[in-house]
mmCIF file of all heavy atoms in Angstrom:
data_model
loop_
_atom_site.group_PDB
_atom_site.id
_atom_site.type_symbol
_atom_site.label_atom_id
_atom_site.label_comp_id
_atom_site.label_asym_id
_atom_site.label_seq_id
_atom_site.Cartn_x
_atom_site.Cartn_y
_atom_site.Cartn_z
ATOM 1 N N VAL A 1219 -21.945 -41.446 20.506
ATOM 2 C CA VAL A 1219 -21.076 -41.940 19.422
ATOM 3 C C VAL A 1219 -19.632 -41.403 19.678
ATOM 4 O O VAL A 1219 -18.712 -42.042 19.757
ATOM 5 C CB VAL A 1219 -21.618 -41.511 18.021
ATOM 6 C CG1 VAL A 1219 -20.564 -41.931 16.935
ATOM 7 C CG2 VAL A 1219 -22.930 -42.097 17.787
ATOM 8 N N ALA A 1220 -19.563 -40.031 19.749
ATOM 9 C CA ALA A 1220 -18.289 -39.450 19.971
ATOM 10 C C ALA A 1220 -18.516 -37.930 20.397
ATOM 11 O O ALA A 1220 -19.488 -37.249 19.982
ATOM 12 C CB ALA A 1220 -17.430 -39.404 18.656
ATOM 13 N N THR A 1221 -17.548 -37.464 21.207
ATOM 14 C CA THR A 1221 -17.656 -36.138 21.672
ATOM 15 C C THR A 1221 -16.220 -35.511 21.699
ATOM 16 O O THR A 1221 -15.199 -36.254 21.745
ATOM 17 C CB THR A 1221 -18.128 -35.890 23.065
ATOM 18 O OG1 THR A 1221 -17.389 -36.726 24.015
ATOM 19 C CG2 THR A 1221 -19.660 -36.397 23.209
ATOM 20 N N ILE A 1222 -16.207 -34.218 21.570
ATOM 21 C CA ILE A 1222 -14.886 -33.583 21.613
ATOM 22 C C ILE A 1222 -15.054 -32.183 22.353
ATOM 23 O O ILE A 1222 -16.009 -31.430 22.091
ATOM 24 C CB ILE A 1222 -14.358 -33.225 20.174
ATOM 25 C CG1 ILE A 1222 -13.037 -32.572 20.239
ATOM 26 C CG2 ILE A 1222 -15.326 -32.451 19.299
ATOM 27 C CD1 ILE A 1222 -12.276 -32.501 18.838
ATOM 28 N N THR A 1223 -14.159 -31.946 23.317
ATOM 29 C CA THR A 1223 -14.264 -30.781 24.091
ATOM 30 C C THR A 1223 -13.558 -29.612 23.456
ATOM 31 O O THR A 1223 -12.781 -29.721 22.469
ATOM 32 C CB THR A 1223 -13.736 -30.896 25.542
ATOM 33 O OG1 THR A 1223 -12.259 -30.986 25.319
ATOM 34 C CG2 THR A 1223 -14.272 -32.209 26.176
ATOM 35 N N SER A 1224 -13.726 -28.410 23.964
ATOM 36 C CA SER A 1224 -13.088 -27.265 23.422
ATOM 37 C C SER A 1224 -11.623 -27.388 23.657
ATOM 38 O O SER A 1224 -10.889 -26.708 22.844
ATOM 39 C CB SER A 1224 -13.596 -25.951 24.138
ATOM 40 O OG SER A 1224 -13.418 -26.030 25.564
ATOM 41 N N GLY A 1225 -11.182 -28.116 24.554
ATOM 42 C CA GLY A 1225 -9.728 -28.416 24.781
ATOM 43 C C GLY A 1225 -9.149 -29.510 23.973
ATOM 44 O O GLY A 1225 -8.013 -29.829 24.067
ATOM 45 N N GLY A 1226 -10.047 -30.133 23.204
ATOM 46 C CA GLY A 1226 -9.609 -31.211 22.217
ATOM 47 C C GLY A 1226 -9.659 -32.652 22.835
ATOM 48 O O GLY A 1226 -9.183 -33.588 22.243
ATOM 49 N N ILE A 1227 -10.264 -32.757 23.992
ATOM 50 C CA ILE A 1227 -10.413 -34.133 24.584
ATOM 51 C C ILE A 1227 -11.529 -34.851 23.892
ATOM 52 O O ILE A 1227 -12.621 -34.361 23.737
ATOM 53 C CB ILE A 1227 -10.670 -34.031 26.091
ATOM 54 C CG1 ILE A 1227 -9.483 -33.389 26.879
ATOM 55 C CG2 ILE A 1227 -10.895 -35.420 26.672
ATOM 56 C CD1 ILE A 1227 -9.818 -33.084 28.233
ATOM 57 N N ILE A 1228 -11.222 -36.056 23.354
ATOM 58 C CA ILE A 1228 -12.102 -36.874 22.577
ATOM 59 C C ILE A 1228 -12.552 -38.166 23.231
ATOM 60 O O ILE A 1228 -11.685 -38.708 23.986
ATOM 61 C CB ILE A 1228 -11.460 -37.152 21.136
ATOM 62 C CG1 ILE A 1228 -11.325 -35.915 20.454
ATOM 63 C CG2 ILE A 1228 -12.262 -38.156 20.409
ATOM 64 C CD1 ILE A 1228 -10.491 -36.115 19.114
ATOM 65 N N ASN A 1229 -13.843 -38.494 23.134
ATOM 66 C CA ASN A 1229 -14.357 -39.632 23.587
ATOM 67 C C ASN A 1229 -15.153 -40.388 22.587
ATOM 68 O O ASN A 1229 -15.966 -39.805 21.889
ATOM 69 C CB ASN A 1229 -15.178 -39.372 24.817
ATOM 70 C CG ASN A 1229 -15.725 -40.616 25.530
ATOM 71 O OD1 ASN A 1229 -14.993 -41.663 25.653
ATOM 72 N ND2 ASN A 1229 -16.944 -40.551 25.987
ATOM 73 N N TYR A 1230 -14.819 -41.713 22.363
ATOM 74 C CA TYR A 1230 -15.594 -42.453 21.400
ATOM 75 C C TYR A 1230 -16.287 -43.694 22.128
ATOM 76 O O TYR A 1230 -15.855 -44.271 23.143
ATOM 77 C CB TYR A 1230 -14.597 -43.116 20.375
ATOM 78 C CG TYR A 1230 -13.961 -42.160 19.410
ATOM 79 C CD1 TYR A 1230 -12.639 -41.844 19.509
ATOM 80 C CD2 TYR A 1230 -14.692 -41.577 18.361
ATOM 81 C CE1 TYR A 1230 -12.055 -40.999 18.676
ATOM 82 C CE2 TYR A 1230 -14.113 -40.697 17.510
ATOM 83 C CZ TYR A 1230 -12.769 -40.426 17.679
ATOM 84 O OH TYR A 1230 -12.145 -39.479 16.731
ATOM 85 N N ALA A 1231 -17.435 -44.025 21.568
ATOM 86 C CA ALA A 1231 -18.019 -45.265 21.938
ATOM 87 C C ALA A 1231 -17.091 -46.400 21.463
ATOM 88 O O ALA A 1231 -16.568 -46.345 20.404
ATOM 89 C CB ALA A 1231 -19.497 -45.377 21.262
ATOM 90 N N ASP A 1232 -17.163 -47.456 22.217
ATOM 91 C CA ASP A 1232 -16.233 -48.578 21.919
ATOM 92 C C ASP A 1232 -16.583 -49.181 20.542
ATOM 93 O O ASP A 1232 -15.729 -49.691 19.841
ATOM 94 C CB ASP A 1232 -16.393 -49.672 22.960
ATOM 95 C CG ASP A 1232 -15.741 -49.365 24.288
ATOM 96 O OD1 ASP A 1232 -14.840 -48.425 24.336
ATOM 97 O OD2 ASP A 1232 -16.018 -49.968 25.281
ATOM 98 N N SER A 1233 -17.836 -49.084 20.220
ATOM 99 C CA SER A 1233 -18.348 -49.675 18.950
ATOM 100 C C SER A 1233 -17.795 -48.956 17.719
ATOM 101 O O SER A 1233 -17.881 -49.543 16.577
ATOM 102 C CB SER A 1233 -19.900 -49.726 18.912
ATOM 103 O OG SER A 1233 -20.406 -48.438 19.038
ATOM 104 N N VAL A 1234 -17.358 -47.713 17.883
ATOM 105 C CA VAL A 1234 -16.937 -46.979 16.677
ATOM 106 C C VAL A 1234 -15.397 -46.745 16.625
ATOM 107 O O VAL A 1234 -14.917 -46.074 15.725
ATOM 108 C CB VAL A 1234 -17.752 -45.657 16.499
ATOM 109 C CG1 VAL A 1234 -19.191 -45.971 16.504
ATOM 110 C CG2 VAL A 1234 -17.364 -44.641 17.583
ATOM 111 N N LYS A 1235 -14.748 -47.091 17.799
ATOM 112 C CA LYS A 1235 -13.249 -46.772 17.851
ATOM 113 C C LYS A 1235 -12.595 -47.364 16.730
ATOM 114 O O LYS A 1235 -12.821 -48.550 16.391
ATOM 115 C CB LYS A 1235 -12.686 -47.214 19.129
ATOM 116 C CG LYS A 1235 -13.125 -46.381 20.334
ATOM 117 C CD LYS A 1235 -12.554 -46.924 21.674
ATOM 118 C CE LYS A 1235 -12.848 -46.052 22.834
ATOM 119 N NZ LYS A 1235 -12.362 -46.635 24.137
ATOM 120 N N GLY A 1236 -11.688 -46.618 16.071
ATOM 121 C CA GLY A 1236 -10.884 -47.105 14.917
ATOM 122 C C GLY A 1236 -11.582 -46.985 13.649
ATOM 123 O O GLY A 1236 -11.024 -47.203 12.545
ATOM 124 N N ARG A 1237 -12.891 -46.668 13.620
ATOM 125 C CA ARG A 1237 -13.643 -46.472 12.389
ATOM 126 C C ARG A 1237 -14.084 -45.071 12.174
ATOM 127 O O ARG A 1237 -14.228 -44.540 11.050
ATOM 128 C CB ARG A 1237 -14.848 -47.472 12.379
ATOM 129 C CG ARG A 1237 -14.478 -48.880 12.436
ATOM 130 C CD ARG A 1237 -15.654 -49.806 12.227
ATOM 131 N NE ARG A 1237 -16.681 -49.559 13.212
ATOM 132 C CZ ARG A 1237 -17.960 -49.241 12.980
ATOM 133 N NH1 ARG A 1237 -18.356 -49.014 11.699
ATOM 134 N NH2 ARG A 1237 -18.893 -49.065 13.914
ATOM 135 N N PHE A 1238 -14.547 -44.402 13.290
ATOM 136 C CA PHE A 1238 -15.079 -42.976 13.227
ATOM 137 C C PHE A 1238 -13.997 -42.043 13.767
ATOM 138 O O PHE A 1238 -13.268 -42.398 14.668
ATOM 139 C CB PHE A 1238 -16.280 -42.908 14.042
ATOM 140 C CG PHE A 1238 -17.513 -43.670 13.495
ATOM 141 C CD1 PHE A 1238 -17.405 -44.533 12.446
ATOM 142 C CD2 PHE A 1238 -18.727 -43.432 14.071
ATOM 143 C CE1 PHE A 1238 -18.523 -45.212 11.928
ATOM 144 C CE2 PHE A 1238 -19.854 -44.123 13.589
ATOM 145 C CZ PHE A 1238 -19.759 -44.977 12.592
ATOM 146 N N THR A 1239 -14.008 -40.863 13.163
ATOM 147 C CA THR A 1239 -13.181 -39.836 13.646
ATOM 148 C C THR A 1239 -13.917 -38.531 13.833
ATOM 149 O O THR A 1239 -14.591 -38.070 12.869
ATOM 150 C CB THR A 1239 -11.956 -39.549 12.674
ATOM 151 O OG1 THR A 1239 -11.180 -40.772 12.475
ATOM 152 C CG2 THR A 1239 -11.060 -38.460 13.168
ATOM 153 N N ILE A 1240 -13.871 -37.867 14.961
ATOM 154 C CA ILE A 1240 -14.537 -36.628 15.278
ATOM 155 C C ILE A 1240 -13.537 -35.627 15.184
ATOM 156 O O ILE A 1240 -12.382 -35.775 15.634
ATOM 157 C CB ILE A 1240 -15.241 -36.729 16.634
ATOM 158 C CG1 ILE A 1240 -16.110 -35.442 16.761
ATOM 159 C CG2 ILE A 1240 -14.279 -36.816 17.834
ATOM 160 C CD1 ILE A 1240 -17.136 -35.549 17.983
ATOM 161 N N SER A 1241 -13.938 -34.412 14.633
ATOM 162 C CA SER A 1241 -13.062 -33.242 14.627
ATOM 163 C C SER A 1241 -13.923 -32.025 14.802
ATOM 164 O O SER A 1241 -15.211 -32.063 14.665
ATOM 165 C CB SER A 1241 -12.225 -33.180 13.323
ATOM 166 O OG SER A 1241 -13.046 -33.152 12.221
ATOM 167 N N ARG A 1242 -13.237 -30.897 15.043
ATOM 168 C CA ARG A 1242 -14.011 -29.711 15.411
ATOM 169 C C ARG A 1242 -13.288 -28.492 14.890
ATOM 170 O O ARG A 1242 -12.064 -28.365 15.005
ATOM 171 C CB ARG A 1242 -14.216 -29.640 16.900
ATOM 172 C CG ARG A 1242 -15.018 -28.455 17.377
ATOM 173 C CD ARG A 1242 -15.145 -28.547 18.909
ATOM 174 N NE ARG A 1242 -15.885 -27.374 19.410
ATOM 175 C CZ ARG A 1242 -16.194 -27.197 20.747
ATOM 176 N NH1 ARG A 1242 -15.842 -28.169 21.657
ATOM 177 N NH2 ARG A 1242 -16.687 -26.156 21.167
ATOM 178 N N ASP A 1243 -13.988 -27.559 14.292
ATOM 179 C CA ASP A 1243 -13.516 -26.270 13.931
ATOM 180 C C ASP A 1243 -14.175 -25.184 14.890
ATOM 181 O O ASP A 1243 -15.306 -24.797 14.542
ATOM 182 C CB ASP A 1243 -13.847 -25.922 12.434
ATOM 183 C CG ASP A 1243 -13.115 -24.690 11.943
ATOM 184 O OD1 ASP A 1243 -12.923 -23.769 12.714
ATOM 185 O OD2 ASP A 1243 -12.891 -24.666 10.760
ATOM 186 N N ILE A 1244 -13.469 -24.833 15.913
ATOM 187 C CA ILE A 1244 -13.947 -23.872 16.880
ATOM 188 C C ILE A 1244 -14.372 -22.644 16.201
ATOM 189 O O ILE A 1244 -15.414 -21.983 16.561
ATOM 190 C CB ILE A 1244 -13.077 -23.760 18.032
ATOM 191 C CG1 ILE A 1244 -12.970 -25.079 18.828
ATOM 192 C CG2 ILE A 1244 -13.544 -22.624 18.992
ATOM 193 C CD1 ILE A 1244 -12.043 -25.051 19.989
ATOM 194 N N ALA A 1245 -13.552 -22.124 15.348
ATOM 195 C CA ALA A 1245 -13.782 -20.747 14.741
ATOM 196 C C ALA A 1245 -15.141 -20.813 13.960
ATOM 197 O O ALA A 1245 -15.789 -19.813 13.850
ATOM 198 C CB ALA A 1245 -12.554 -20.437 13.764
ATOM 199 N N LYS A 1246 -15.418 -21.886 13.372
ATOM 200 C CA LYS A 1246 -16.678 -22.022 12.558
ATOM 201 C C LYS A 1246 -17.765 -22.672 13.362
ATOM 202 O O LYS A 1246 -18.873 -22.840 12.861
ATOM 203 C CB LYS A 1246 -16.367 -22.933 11.277
ATOM 204 C CG LYS A 1246 -15.363 -22.351 10.293
ATOM 205 C CD LYS A 1246 -15.285 -23.276 9.107
ATOM 206 C CE LYS A 1246 -14.344 -22.739 8.121
ATOM 207 N NZ LYS A 1246 -14.221 -23.536 6.896
ATOM 208 N N ASN A 1247 -17.526 -22.935 14.620
ATOM 209 C CA ASN A 1247 -18.475 -23.560 15.493
ATOM 210 C C ASN A 1247 -19.143 -24.807 14.787
ATOM 211 O O ASN A 1247 -20.324 -24.993 14.858
ATOM 212 C CB ASN A 1247 -19.674 -22.635 15.807
ATOM 213 C CG ASN A 1247 -19.709 -22.340 17.326
ATOM 214 O OD1 ASN A 1247 -19.031 -22.885 18.120
ATOM 215 N ND2 ASN A 1247 -20.412 -21.158 17.646
ATOM 216 N N THR A 1248 -18.280 -25.648 14.315
ATOM 217 C CA THR A 1248 -18.679 -26.837 13.490
ATOM 218 C C THR A 1248 -17.984 -28.058 13.959
ATOM 219 O O THR A 1248 -16.755 -28.007 14.353
ATOM 220 C CB THR A 1248 -18.349 -26.585 12.041
ATOM 221 O OG1 THR A 1248 -19.047 -25.435 11.527
ATOM 222 C CG2 THR A 1248 -18.843 -27.760 11.165
ATOM 223 N N VAL A 1249 -18.722 -29.193 14.031
ATOM 224 C CA VAL A 1249 -18.149 -30.421 14.424
ATOM 225 C C VAL A 1249 -18.437 -31.418 13.238
ATOM 226 O O VAL A 1249 -19.460 -31.334 12.678
ATOM 227 C CB VAL A 1249 -18.772 -30.934 15.757
ATOM 228 C CG1 VAL A 1249 -20.279 -31.166 15.549
ATOM 229 C CG2 VAL A 1249 -18.028 -32.194 16.162
ATOM 230 N N TYR A 1250 -17.453 -32.260 13.069
ATOM 231 C CA TYR A 1250 -17.550 -33.219 11.922
ATOM 232 C C TYR A 1250 -17.434 -34.631 12.533
ATOM 233 O O TYR A 1250 -16.787 -34.888 13.574
ATOM 234 C CB TYR A 1250 -16.424 -33.002 10.961
ATOM 235 C CG TYR A 1250 -16.312 -31.597 10.428
ATOM 236 C CD1 TYR A 1250 -15.493 -30.657 11.000
ATOM 237 C CD2 TYR A 1250 -17.109 -31.220 9.321
ATOM 238 C CE1 TYR A 1250 -15.419 -29.388 10.554
ATOM 239 C CE2 TYR A 1250 -16.987 -29.906 8.854
ATOM 240 C CZ TYR A 1250 -16.141 -29.018 9.434
ATOM 241 O OH TYR A 1250 -16.079 -27.740 9.023
ATOM 242 N N LEU A 1251 -17.986 -35.603 11.818
ATOM 243 C CA LEU A 1251 -17.828 -36.982 12.077
ATOM 244 C C LEU A 1251 -17.518 -37.767 10.814
ATOM 245 O O LEU A 1251 -18.478 -37.907 9.935
ATOM 246 C CB LEU A 1251 -19.093 -37.561 12.783
ATOM 247 C CG LEU A 1251 -18.956 -39.015 13.271
ATOM 248 C CD1 LEU A 1251 -17.917 -39.089 14.479
ATOM 249 C CD2 LEU A 1251 -20.304 -39.550 13.700
ATOM 250 N N GLU A 1252 -16.303 -38.187 10.622
ATOM 251 C CA GLU A 1252 -15.877 -39.111 9.552
ATOM 252 C C GLU A 1252 -16.162 -40.520 9.906
ATOM 253 O O GLU A 1252 -15.632 -40.964 10.891
ATOM 254 C CB GLU A 1252 -14.427 -38.772 9.277
ATOM 255 C CG GLU A 1252 -13.900 -39.497 7.953
ATOM 256 C CD GLU A 1252 -14.365 -38.787 6.669
ATOM 257 O OE1 GLU A 1252 -14.414 -37.576 6.713
ATOM 258 O OE2 GLU A 1252 -14.710 -39.502 5.758
ATOM 259 N N MET A 1253 -17.006 -41.168 9.100
ATOM 260 C CA MET A 1253 -17.362 -42.577 9.453
ATOM 261 C C MET A 1253 -16.870 -43.401 8.308
ATOM 262 O O MET A 1253 -17.265 -43.330 7.177
ATOM 263 C CB MET A 1253 -18.896 -42.606 9.569
ATOM 264 C CG MET A 1253 -19.483 -41.656 10.596
ATOM 265 S SD MET A 1253 -21.253 -41.907 10.904
ATOM 266 C CE MET A 1253 -21.901 -41.421 9.287
ATOM 267 N N ASN A 1254 -16.027 -44.376 8.648
ATOM 268 C CA ASN A 1254 -15.398 -45.332 7.725
ATOM 269 C C ASN A 1254 -15.722 -46.705 8.095
ATOM 270 O O ASN A 1254 -16.199 -46.998 9.241
ATOM 271 C CB ASN A 1254 -13.957 -45.105 7.651
ATOM 272 C CG ASN A 1254 -13.520 -43.760 7.142
ATOM 273 O OD1 ASN A 1254 -14.027 -43.301 6.200
ATOM 274 N ND2 ASN A 1254 -12.553 -43.205 7.905
ATOM 275 N N SER A 1255 -15.562 -47.620 7.187
ATOM 276 C CA SER A 1255 -15.953 -49.002 7.421
ATOM 277 C C SER A 1255 -17.285 -49.233 8.078
ATOM 278 O O SER A 1255 -17.497 -49.941 9.008
ATOM 279 C CB SER A 1255 -14.829 -49.691 8.305
ATOM 280 O OG SER A 1255 -13.568 -49.552 7.745
ATOM 281 N N LEU A 1256 -18.292 -48.553 7.475
ATOM 282 C CA LEU A 1256 -19.600 -48.581 8.113
ATOM 283 C C LEU A 1256 -20.249 -49.953 7.994
ATOM 284 O O LEU A 1256 -20.052 -50.724 7.089
ATOM 285 C CB LEU A 1256 -20.497 -47.558 7.319
ATOM 286 C CG LEU A 1256 -20.318 -46.116 7.761
ATOM 287 C CD1 LEU A 1256 -20.814 -45.120 6.710
ATOM 288 C CD2 LEU A 1256 -20.961 -45.835 9.087
ATOM 289 N N LYS A 1257 -21.027 -50.235 9.072
ATOM 290 C CA LYS A 1257 -21.640 -51.518 9.245
ATOM 291 C C LYS A 1257 -23.276 -51.298 9.213
ATOM 292 O O LYS A 1257 -23.688 -50.218 9.657
ATOM 293 C CB LYS A 1257 -21.216 -52.227 10.449
ATOM 294 C CG LYS A 1257 -19.673 -52.320 10.654
ATOM 295 C CD LYS A 1257 -19.314 -52.966 11.965
ATOM 296 C CE LYS A 1257 -17.854 -53.044 12.184
ATOM 297 N NZ LYS A 1257 -17.542 -53.564 13.447
ATOM 298 N N PRO A 1258 -23.932 -52.345 8.905
ATOM 299 C CA PRO A 1258 -25.378 -52.187 9.072
ATOM 300 C C PRO A 1258 -25.859 -51.808 10.474
ATOM 301 O O PRO A 1258 -26.792 -51.048 10.645
ATOM 302 C CB PRO A 1258 -25.916 -53.592 8.682
ATOM 303 C CG PRO A 1258 -24.980 -54.136 7.661
ATOM 304 C CD PRO A 1258 -23.522 -53.652 8.187
ATOM 305 N N GLY A 1259 -25.097 -52.249 11.465
ATOM 306 C CA GLY A 1259 -25.334 -51.882 12.868
ATOM 307 C C GLY A 1259 -25.238 -50.452 13.167
ATOM 308 O O GLY A 1259 -25.553 -49.918 14.214
ATOM 309 N N ASP A 1260 -24.558 -49.649 12.281
ATOM 310 C CA ASP A 1260 -24.369 -48.185 12.344
ATOM 311 C C ASP A 1260 -25.682 -47.422 11.905
ATOM 312 O O ASP A 1260 -25.749 -46.250 12.089
ATOM 313 C CB ASP A 1260 -23.214 -47.717 11.643
ATOM 314 C CG ASP A 1260 -21.920 -48.239 12.173
ATOM 315 O OD1 ASP A 1260 -21.779 -48.273 13.387
ATOM 316 O OD2 ASP A 1260 -21.018 -48.656 11.324
ATOM 317 N N THR A 1261 -26.629 -48.156 11.300
ATOM 318 C CA THR A 1261 -27.808 -47.509 10.776
ATOM 319 C C THR A 1261 -28.652 -46.871 12.025
ATOM 320 O O THR A 1261 -28.865 -47.540 13.069
ATOM 321 C CB THR A 1261 -28.693 -48.503 10.138
ATOM 322 O OG1 THR A 1261 -28.040 -49.028 8.969
ATOM 323 C CG2 THR A 1261 -30.026 -47.982 9.766
ATOM 324 N N ALA A 1262 -28.846 -45.575 11.914
ATOM 325 C CA ALA A 1262 -29.534 -44.868 13.019
ATOM 326 C C ALA A 1262 -29.785 -43.353 12.570
ATOM 327 O O ALA A 1262 -29.246 -43.004 11.478
ATOM 328 C CB ALA A 1262 -28.668 -44.841 14.226
ATOM 329 N N VAL A 1263 -30.511 -42.759 13.385
ATOM 330 C CA VAL A 1263 -30.521 -41.256 13.255
ATOM 331 C C VAL A 1263 -29.488 -40.665 14.048
ATOM 332 O O VAL A 1263 -29.364 -41.044 15.245
ATOM 333 C CB VAL A 1263 -31.970 -40.738 13.626
ATOM 334 C CG1 VAL A 1263 -31.887 -39.114 13.511
ATOM 335 C CG2 VAL A 1263 -33.090 -41.272 12.810
ATOM 336 N N TYR A 1264 -28.665 -39.839 13.453
ATOM 337 C CA TYR A 1264 -27.480 -39.268 14.136
ATOM 338 C C TYR A 1264 -27.885 -37.804 14.512
ATOM 339 O O TYR A 1264 -28.255 -37.021 13.670
ATOM 340 C CB TYR A 1264 -26.267 -39.332 13.308
ATOM 341 C CG TYR A 1264 -25.635 -40.704 13.174
ATOM 342 C CD1 TYR A 1264 -26.370 -41.733 12.581
ATOM 343 C CD2 TYR A 1264 -24.438 -41.020 13.817
ATOM 344 C CE1 TYR A 1264 -25.705 -43.054 12.477
ATOM 345 C CE2 TYR A 1264 -23.896 -42.250 13.775
ATOM 346 C CZ TYR A 1264 -24.560 -43.223 13.127
ATOM 347 O OH TYR A 1264 -24.011 -44.475 13.148
ATOM 348 N N TYR A 1265 -27.708 -37.565 15.797
ATOM 349 C CA TYR A 1265 -27.958 -36.265 16.408
ATOM 350 C C TYR A 1265 -26.693 -35.518 16.747
ATOM 351 O O TYR A 1265 -25.914 -36.034 17.524
ATOM 352 C CB TYR A 1265 -28.895 -36.356 17.532
ATOM 353 C CG TYR A 1265 -30.228 -36.913 17.241
ATOM 354 C CD1 TYR A 1265 -30.527 -38.275 17.364
ATOM 355 C CD2 TYR A 1265 -31.264 -36.182 16.937
ATOM 356 C CE1 TYR A 1265 -31.697 -38.813 17.094
ATOM 357 C CE2 TYR A 1265 -32.550 -36.679 16.664
ATOM 358 C CZ TYR A 1265 -32.753 -37.983 16.733
ATOM 359 O OH TYR A 1265 -33.954 -38.565 16.462
ATOM 360 N N CYS A 1266 -26.597 -34.239 16.315
ATOM 361 C CA CYS A 1266 -25.550 -33.357 16.803
ATOM 362 C C CYS A 1266 -25.904 -32.825 18.239
ATOM 363 O O CYS A 1266 -27.131 -32.521 18.534
ATOM 364 C CB CYS A 1266 -25.400 -32.176 15.873
ATOM 365 S SG CYS A 1266 -24.116 -31.065 16.260
#
């Protein structure tokens, strides 16, 4: 779906570009995925 490196390089699947936003808090070792304009085709189990 989306990945982000420690250097901030981001990669999105074409199907979610413009709708999903990935971000990362390195200090908290946490990654977030903001998902907007969700579609039925986004239904899935999401794995970190």
Side-chain angles (χ1 to χ4, degrees):
V1219 177
T1221 60
I1222 182 168
T1223 70
S1224 57
I1227 297 172
I1228 292 174
N1229 184 36
Y1230 290 107
D1232 288 342
S1233 59
V1234 307
K1235 284 181 181 177
R1237 300 188 299 121
F1238 291 11
T1239 302
I1240 190 170
S1241 60
R1242 181 176 175 179
D1243 187 331
I1244 291 179
K1246 294 182 179 179
N1247 247 347
T1248 301
V1249 63
Y1250 307 95
L1251 186 68
E1252 186 75 34
M1253 304 185 293
N1254 298 314
S1255 302
L1256 282 161
K1257 305 174 181 179
D1260 295 317
T1261 295
V1263 178
Y1264 283 69
Y1265 295 91
C1266 180

